[in-house]
Amino acid sequence: MYKKFFKRIIDFVISLIGLVLLSPIFLIIAVIVKMDSKGPIFFKQKRIGIHKTYFNILKFRTMRSDTPDVPTHLLKDPNVFITYSGKILRKTSLDELPQIINILMGKMSIIGPRPALWNQDDLISERERYDANDVLPGLTGLAQINGRDELPIQEKAKLDGAYVKHISFVQDVKIFFGTISSVLRHDGVQEGNKNEKKDTNYWGE
């Protein structure tokens, strides 16, 4: 009952309340991003949604508008392209706030497997083994409080599968508060890793 009904209701109510309460912060960040560098306020990135459908994830833009259109980890020196305000937004994860809109629209959930990049074929394939592609992706998930960027693809997919297998209100609450702790400690964040296609930053641009 929770997975099929109450989870979506909770997502909608919390994201709606969050959007209203955080609107002043949204406005302040939008002004800062616009003043810091030329370009749009929001950054859109093609991601994998439920049942491997595509959707555009929203974030506050943290990189210059002339940044090559490739994942951050493929850039030789990502820091060259990250704006001054972007460094702060990434470190504090405030760049992720616009994903509240994705949740409100039903493209994401608060808790779930982090949406893979459209070209993360290895992660998408591994998740298929655990039915982790058949639920709404989340703002945060079990893998994000257990190492996130530091985890190998196989381990990340296995944790996503474990979450899907045991979805419950109690587990979602534990992951939610575990995420707050991880963000405050900046655990497991990596930038510019070229060894594999990772969802860099928390959780990357």
Side-chain angles (χ1 to χ4, degrees):
M1 182 66 76
Y2 172 73
K3 178 181 177 180
K4 294 182 178 180
F5 184 70
F6 289 111
K7 184 173 172 65
R8 175 57 192 154
I9 292 178
I10 292 172
D11 283 340
F12 182 82
V13 172
I14 291 180
S15 59
L16 182 60
I17 293 174
L19 194 59
V20 172
L21 294 180
L22 296 174
S23 57
I25 296 177
F26 268 69
L27 182 59
I28 292 172
I29 294 176
V31 171
I32 292 174
V33 170
K34 199 65 178 178
M35 291 179 63
D36 190 21
S37 65
K38 295 180 179 179
I41 293 171
F42 295 112
F43 170 79
K44 296 180 180 180
Q45 189 177 59
K46 187 177 179 182
R47 295 282 179 125
I48 300 296
I50 187 171
H51 304 313
K52 294 188 285 188
T53 55
Y54 295 125
F55 77 101
N56 288 320
I57 198 170
L58 297 175
K59 303 183 183 187
F60 282 116
R61 182 173 57 83
T62 60
M63 304 186 83
R64 297 187 338 227
S65 57
D66 61 345
T67 303
D69 188 19
V70 297
T72 308
H73 65 276
L74 294 181
L75 295 172
K76 184 177 181 180
D77 186 1
N79 291 319
V80 172
F81 298 98
I82 298 175
T83 63
Y84 178 76
S85 62
K87 292 178 181 178
I88 298 174
L89 292 175
R90 284 174 172 244
K91 186 175 182 180
T92 57
S93 296
L94 288 173
D95 62 317
E96 308 289 341
L97 284 181
Q99 286 165 53
I100 292 176
I101 300 173
N102 289 124
I103 297 171
L104 188 63
M105 295 174 63
K107 299 297 183 180
M108 291 177 61
S109 178
I110 296 174
I111 310 296
R114 277 299 296 169
L117 292 164
W118 64 271
N119 61 348
Q120 283 184 296
D121 298 327
D122 44 4
L123 177 58
I124 297 168
S125 178
E126 280 294 315
R127 281 178 170 174
E128 194 69 18
R129 298 173 53 193
Y130 303 102
D131 299 322
N133 292 318
D134 297 329
V135 297
L136 282 174
L139 180 64
T140 184
L142 190 59
Q144 279 60 53
I145 61 172
N146 285 281
R148 63 205 202 206
D149 289 347
E150 295 177 344
L151 293 174
I153 292 295
Q154 294 78 6
E155 186 62 27
K156 185 180 292 186
K158 185 179 292 187
L159 285 168
D160 290 334
Y163 169 76
V164 171
K165 187 176 181 180
H166 303 288
I167 290 179
S168 69
F169 176 73
V170 173
Q171 179 178 224
D172 280 1
V173 170
K174 288 180 179 179
I175 292 174
F176 180 83
F177 286 105
T179 297
I180 294 175
S181 177
S182 293
V183 170
L184 292 176
R185 297 195 307 266
H186 309 298
D187 289 344
V189 178
Q190 294 182 6
E191 292 280 13
N193 190 325
K194 301 179 183 179
N195 294 327
E196 58 184 58
K197 295 172 184 173
K198 289 187 176 182
D199 182 7
T200 53
N201 184 34
Y202 194 36
W203 295 269
E205 182 169 295

